[in-house]
Amino acid sequence: MSVNDEATGQQPAAPYDSAFLKACRREPVPHTPVWFMRQAGRSLPEYRKVREGTAMLESCMRPDLVTEITLQPVRRHGVDAAIYFSDIVVPLKAIGVDLDIKPGIGPVVERPIRSRADLAQLRDLTPDDVAYVTEAIGMLTAELGATPLIGFAGAPFTLASYLVEGGPSRNHEHTKALMYGDPQLWADLLDRLAEITSAFLKVQIEAGASAVQLFDSWVGALAPADYRRSVLPASRKVFDAVAPYGVPRIHFGVGTGELLGILGEAGADVVGVDWRVPLDEAVHRVGPGKALQGNLDPAVLFAPREAVEAKTDEVLAAAAGLEGHVFNLGHGVLPTTDPDALTRLVEYVHTRTAV
């Protein structure tokens, strides 16, 4: 039971009827639900305190820390959903890939994948590999009560980019060279990553996640024809694998204005939109039958309160005709964002959209 349920002696409420899950299902909502990508992270002083002296990957593998960090923005901001605290390379680390997350750099892979022999690094992921995920989600759902928990995974293309480049890349030279130069090896790499990602999401759903989001952070580097030919099959495989669970599936990438229609084809129920495309335009690109998520520019939160509210009103106005809308930023919370600005934003959206 959650803390409130223990106090009243009532059975814990279920997340199914939450505003967030209703919006994902394109059902009427009491208010537009709000959550933020990277809402649990460096913008919160309590996060920095609890993470002090603990490496990122270790933090992701300790159920006590994962639980505390995931709950922090729910407590502070009153958001409508929690996002499971993790990193996109966690399943790769769990199957034995030699990598680390280096401060100020990001994930660094010791042996980049450049040949067919290198694929041997990528074995199947089993629930036992990530038992700490199951434990953490059990702890979280007990605390969250009626607040939904969103499962988290990196998409095959973005994982492949880290694995092939050996770390973050601005131009993705090695990634594109492999994609264009050895299409069969590329297809086999993405297919294997789709299997690993699917297994990772299944663990989270079976442990109690109410929705899942697939992050394709770098896919905006591709032209639409390349995405359709070389990436879409793997993304679709992930969404198809978790479809039988019946939980909402969210797809998000950065710089994907030209890809929104194809992203919608991959199988998600909700398509995330970054801040570059207004939602009333995005809905035409994505097509019918999908909810949209987004899309306030994260940098707007550094402006005065009146400007934040004015830009929020623009997003809400653009979303007025949508079948379903989940308010979010157009990318993650920036590390130096004032947490109070996020709290005010949640309250403002809730108040402005209350039925």
Side-chain angles (χ1 to χ4, degrees):
M1 289 188 180
S2 66
V3 174
N4 289 337
D5 294 322
E6 286 178 357
T8 62
Q10 296 175 348
Q11 288 299 308
Y16 184 83
D17 288 325
S18 64
F20 168 72
L21 290 180
K22 284 185 172 182
C24 290
R25 298 192 301 262
R26 296 176 289 125
E27 297 173 0
V29 292
H31 60 263
T32 298
V34 187
W35 73 279
F36 305 116
M37 290 176 282
R38 294 200 200 119
Q39 64 187 14
R42 288 172 290 174
S43 65
L44 298 180
E46 58 264 42
Y47 168 83
R48 296 192 294 271
K49 182 176 180 181
V50 78
R51 272 277 325 275
E52 195 171 342
T54 306
M56 178 63 183
L57 280 173
E58 183 186 345
S59 300
C60 296
M61 295 175 187
R62 283 181 46 185
D64 59 332
L65 270 182
V66 170
T67 300
E68 169 59 22
I69 292 168
T70 302
L71 290 172
Q72 285 174 349
V74 179
R75 295 192 200 109
R76 180 186 272 263
H77 304 313
V79 286
D80 293 278
I83 176 78
Y84 182 77
F85 177 74
S86 187
D87 187 272
I88 63 171
V89 299
V90 163
L92 301 180
K93 184 71 172 181
I95 61 171
V97 176
D98 190 355
L99 60 81
D100 197 10
I101 298 175
K102 302 205 170 170
I105 299 174
V108 176
V109 179
E110 183 65 26
R111 270 198 316 126
I113 291 179
R114 305 284 171 80
S115 69
R116 183 159 294 279
D118 294 331
L119 280 181
Q121 296 182 59
L122 303 179
R123 66 165 175 83
D124 291 343
L125 180 129
T126 70
D128 289 342
D129 293 321
V130 287
Y132 47 85
V133 172
T134 299
E135 183 180 348
I137 290 179
M139 295 164 66
L140 277 166
T141 52
E143 288 288 331
L144 286 166
T147 302
L149 175 66
I150 305 169
F152 169 99
F157 175 81
T158 292
L159 293 178
S161 176
Y162 281 116
L163 287 169
V164 175
E165 298 291 338
S169 172
R170 183 180 297 272
N171 298 310
H172 310 281
E173 300 96 321
H174 296 292
T175 305
K176 291 185 177 182
L178 179 59
M179 184 175 72
Y180 298 136
D182 195 338
Q184 189 56 57
L185 175 57
W186 173 260
D188 292 345
L189 170 60
L190 257 67
D191 189 70
R192 192 165 297 187
L193 289 170
E195 293 279 359
I196 293 164
T197 300
S198 300
F200 190 53
L201 288 176
K202 287 177 180 179
V203 166
Q204 294 176 64
I205 297 168
E206 290 175 4
S210 297
V212 291
Q213 175 158 308
L214 195 65
F215 286 81
D216 216 345
S217 309
W218 305 124
V219 77
L222 295 181
D226 290 331
Y227 178 86
R228 181 177 294 282
R229 178 177 54 249
S230 302
V231 177
L232 178 60
S235 296
R236 181 180 281 142
K237 183 171 184 173
V238 175
F239 287 121
D240 286 349
V242 298
Y245 292 96
V247 303
R249 299 157 296 168
I250 310 168
H251 200 6
F252 175 76
V254 187
T256 53
E258 297 301 318
L259 303 178
L260 285 173
I262 316 175
L263 289 179
E265 294 176 29
D269 306 290
V270 184
V271 176
V273 183
D274 74 14
W275 67 93
R276 298 171 179 87
V277 180
L279 293 175
D280 50 359
E281 168 61 24
V283 69
H284 298 300
R285 299 187 189 186
V286 171
K290 310 283 182 184
L292 296 188
Q293 179 175 278
N295 67 339
L296 186 71
D297 185 340
V300 167
L301 287 161
F302 292 83
R305 181 172 183 168
E306 296 75 15
V308 174
E309 292 178 354
K311 294 300 288 184
T312 301
D313 286 340
E314 290 181 16
V315 172
L316 294 174
L322 302 183
E323 294 181 72
H325 177 221
V326 175
F327 189 95
N328 208 312
L329 304 180
H331 196 197
V333 173
L334 297 171
T336 53
T337 304
D338 178 2
D340 290 342
L342 292 167
T343 305
R344 289 193 298 267
L345 178 57
V346 174
E347 183 180 6
Y348 185 75
V349 173
H350 285 172
T351 301
R352 289 285 287 169
T353 61
V355 176

